[in-house]
Amino acid sequence: MTGKPELRRELIGIHNKLLACYGVQHWWPGETPFEIMVGAILTQSAAWGNVEKAITNLKSAGKLSPSAIRDMPMVDLAKMVYPSGYYNAKARKLKALAEWLGKYKDDLSRLDRSPTVDLRQELLEIYGVGPETSDAILLYVFKRPVFVIDAYTRRLFRRLGVEPPVDNYDGWQALFMDNLPHEFELFAEYHALIVKHGKDICRKSPQCTECCLSNECSGKPSATKPVHLGGPT
DNA sequence: GTCCCGCTTG
DNA sequence: CAAGCTGGAC
């Protein structure tokens, strides 16, 4: 946490307003660590409701475990995750995740001994695990203080007029991690609140009249959409 | 930049 | 009917 005090207070202020608006979120939905990891992969560019269907399919078939997924034919796995979209790609990703866990005898406590940077590097080497999925797993499974950046985060804070100097994943992550205390509870709750807000209010087409942040928001990108002053040609 | 891809919402 | 959904691989 080395950033400017002004930005630090702004980021905390946004968190507090979201918390006051929505209350504690109790994330991540998922009853076991493995279920959280599966959810993190299946939710890539997919609505959570569809992810739940896929997870329910796995659960009711008794296949929601690393070993079951390793032993299952790819085609069967693809059918089960069908509702979450990209089913062939996601079946392959789940296989890769399960194979990786197998290297540690499916024992999360072994992995939990690794420092965060090392664990993150390992996660990134798994097929289908990129920065966001990696950080979601680090945060919600391993309880590491890592700030997760997603499309909702970028959209919300751009509209609020807060942007990092470098517009990529690491740049966004540094914006938050350089300006907030590295506390698991704070990062977990903040991300959950951003998602809640992004789904319900700060959508692509924002519901600004119902937004509890409308006072501090310029609504920039959507407000700057081209206006043809001369009217249609 | 393109592809992967079904389901929900407007 | 189209747009959008907690991305990542190539």
Side-chain angles (χ1 to χ4, degrees), chain A residues 4-64:
Chain A
K4 295 186 292 187
E6 186 189 344
L7 182 52
R8 200 181 306 177
R9 273 186 282 107
E10 180 168 11
L11 294 182
I12 290 286
I14 301 291
H15 168 268
N16 290 342
K17 290 218 168 183
L18 289 174
L19 184 59
C21 186
Y22 301 113
V24 180
Q25 296 298 299
H26 299 297
W27 255 34
W28 181 290
E31 296 168 10
T32 66
F34 185 64
E35 184 174 335
I36 296 174
M37 293 190 236
V38 170
I41 285 178
L42 293 183
T43 197
Q44 293 170 4
S45 282
W48 185 254
N50 293 334
V51 175
E52 284 184 313
K53 292 178 187 172
I55 289 182
T56 299
N57 288 343
L58 290 168
K59 215 183 256 183
S60 50
K63 302 294 187 188
L64 193 53

Side-chain angles (χ1 to χ4, degrees), chain A residues 55-164:
Chain A
I55 289 182
T56 299
N57 288 343
L58 290 168
K59 215 183 256 183
S60 50
K63 302 294 187 188
L64 193 53
S65 72
S67 62
I69 286 181
R70 280 195 297 272
D71 296 341
M72 196 178 345
M74 188 77 81
V75 189
D76 296 347
L77 184 54
K79 283 179 189 165
M80 293 197 166
V81 301
Y82 186 81
S84 65
Y86 307 112
Y87 50 90
N88 286 316
K90 283 178 180 173
R92 188 179 160 197
K93 292 176 183 184
L94 291 183
K95 281 277 189 184
L97 174 69
E99 291 294 338
W100 176 71
L101 289 169
K103 291 199 298 182
Y104 299 91
K105 302 188 164 144
D106 302 338
D107 183 1
L108 278 287
S109 65
R110 289 170 185 251
L111 288 162
D112 201 26
R113 292 175 202 148
S114 300
T116 300
V117 283
D118 297 341
L119 191 48
R120 186 172 198 267
Q121 187 54 46
E122 276 224 43
L123 285 164
L124 289 173
E125 287 169 8
I126 303 171
Y127 174 81
V129 178
E132 180 182 337
T133 306
S134 159
D135 290 342
I137 291 172
L138 286 171
L139 180 65
Y140 291 104
V141 173
F142 293 99
K143 316 294 182 196
R144 306 298 174 91
V146 170
F147 202 95
V148 178
I149 303 299
D150 60 7
Y152 289 147
T153 307
R154 300 182 200 212
R155 186 166 71 201
L156 169 60
F157 284 90
R158 275 201 193 103
R159 284 172 176 166
L160 290 169
V162 179
E163 281 186 85

Side-chain angles (χ1 to χ4, degrees), chain A residues 218-232:
Chain A
S218 50
K220 275 166 52 180
S222 50
T224 37
K225 74 177 147 191
V227 177
H228 299 276
L229 293 175

